[in-house]
């Protein structure tokens, strides 16, 4: 079946450096993508989202890039801080404008910030 | 806003017992989702409701699992009888009708011995 997956299970970066977390999706009908951050013992926390009619969206210290040609999206975190240490999930929702459908999640990437 | 509220936060039970997980969505949200998270399978959608009506329960693993949403502010996920392989963290999430961002609760960590 179609699924959303991540390339790397663990990413270690130096504090202050930029981080890039990647995600591949296989459902060509996907039109809405979300990045979540999950800290130990907590539920997933929304970071940023992007629709398929965009290829880039920026938030505070985070940027999401979408490449529909190769069905790939990435999350860039600028100037990583210790508080950025967490597992990051990409998720997709094939229903345009729909929080009315469930999300399909990737496996997650564990971001580790080295002091 | 209190966010999505789940109870209990932790549940330890013995195989064969009935387990009931509870969720209170964010006030004003019309859609509610139950997910399960395990190391092996990651985050999986179990079932979701729109306006208290179950829309898709294809993710519910077996007939031992059932979910209800008697009103807009409360939902339950029941496992009867529970088995050790049901051990996982169960999350509830909610969103506005037609909204996109799903907001997750803190989860219930279930351990079935």
């Amino acid at each position: 079946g179609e699924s959303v997956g991540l390339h790397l299970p663990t990413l270690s970066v130096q504090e202050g450096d930029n981080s890039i977390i990647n995600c591949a999706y296989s459902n060509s009908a996907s039109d809405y993508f979300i990045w979540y951050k999950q800290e130990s013992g907590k539920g997933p926390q929304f970071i940023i989202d992007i629709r398929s009619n965009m290829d880039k969206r920026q938030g505070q210290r985070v940027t999401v890039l979408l490449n529909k040609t190769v069905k790939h999206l990435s999350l860039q975190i600028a100037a990583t801080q210790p508080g950025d240490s967490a597992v990051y999930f990409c998720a997709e929702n094939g229903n345009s404008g729909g929080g009315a459908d469930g999300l399909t999640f990737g496996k997650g990437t564990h971001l580790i910030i080295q002091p | 806003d209190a966010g999505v509220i789940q109870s209990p936060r932790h549940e330890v039970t013995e195989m064969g017992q009935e387990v009931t997980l509870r969720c209170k969505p964010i006030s004003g949200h019309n859609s509610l989702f139950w997910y399960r998270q395990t190391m092996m399978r990651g985050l999986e959608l179990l079932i979701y409701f729109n306006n208290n009506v179950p829309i898709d329960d294809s993710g519910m693993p077996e007939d031992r699992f059932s979910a209800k949403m008697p009103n807009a502010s409360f939902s339950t996920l029941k496992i009867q009888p529970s088995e050790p392989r049901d051990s996982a963290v169960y999350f509830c999430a909610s969103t506005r009708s037609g909204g996109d961002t799903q907001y997750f609760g803190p989860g219930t960590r279930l351990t079935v011995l």
Side-chain angles (χ1 to χ4, degrees):
Chain A
E2 294 179 313
S3 64
V4 177
L6 293 172
H7 293 305
L8 298 174
T10 302
L11 177 64
S12 183
V13 299
Q14 292 292 124
E15 182 178 348
D17 288 350
N18 298 334
S19 302
I20 300 176
I21 301 172
N22 297 303
C23 179
Y25 65 95
S26 56
N27 184 358
S28 57
S30 296
D31 55 10
Y32 177 66
F33 305 88
I34 312 165
W35 281 100
Y36 282 92
K37 171 186 180 182
Q38 186 176 24
E39 297 175 284
S40 180
K42 297 183 179 180
Q45 177 186 4
F46 172 82
I47 303 174
I48 193 168
D49 58 2
I50 189 169
R51 296 194 182 282
S52 59
N53 60 354
M54 304 171 67
D55 53 21
K56 181 179 181 179
R57 191 172 186 205
Q58 289 184 292
Q60 185 178 11
R61 283 202 305 120
V62 294
T63 301
V64 56
L65 300 176
L66 175 63
N67 185 330
K68 295 179 289 293
T69 302
V70 295
K71 289 185 269 186
H72 180 272
L73 72 159
S74 65
L75 175 70
Q76 300 179 359
I77 305 174
T80 51
Q81 304 168 359
D84 294 329
S85 291
V87 178
Y88 290 81
F89 294 94
C90 64
E92 61 95 3
N93 182 335
N95 181 29
S96 179
D101 277 354
L103 296 171
T104 300
F105 280 83
K107 294 297 184 184
T109 292
H110 186 192
L111 178 63
I112 299 171
I113 310 302
Q114 303 283 0
Chain B
D1 195 324
V4 175
I5 299 172
Q6 292 186 247
S7 64
R9 293 295 312 277
H10 301 273
E11 177 80 26
V12 180
T13 191
E14 292 187 345
M15 182 174 61
Q17 296 299 305
E18 177 180 295
V19 175
T20 300
L21 311 181
R22 297 173 176 81
C23 175
K24 177 179 170 55
I26 292 173
S27 178
H29 283 192
N30 299 90
S31 297
L32 183 143
F33 307 79
W34 283 101
Y35 292 87
R36 179 172 68 175
Q37 185 175 38
T38 61
M39 288 296 294
M40 292 298 295
R41 301 176 66 88
L43 271 161
E44 301 175 288
L45 175 69
L46 299 178
I47 185 172
Y48 72 92
F49 298 82
N50 285 342
N51 296 312
N52 312 338
V53 176
I55 302 301
D56 183 358
D57 65 354
S58 60
M60 297 284 262
E62 300 174 29
D63 291 344
R64 299 183 296 105
F65 286 69
S66 63
K68 294 182 179 179
M69 192 165 186
N71 57 63
S73 59
F74 184 67
S75 177
T76 60
L77 177 67
K78 184 176 294 186
I79 308 172
Q80 167 61 25
S82 58
E83 297 182 3
R85 60 191 168 130
D86 302 330
S87 297
V89 181
Y90 291 80
F91 289 103
C92 176
S94 70
T95 188
R96 292 176 293 111
S97 180
D100 302 312
T101 305
Q102 294 184 19
Y103 295 91
F104 283 74
T108 295
R109 179 174 295 277
L110 173 64
T111 302
V112 183
L113 303 174

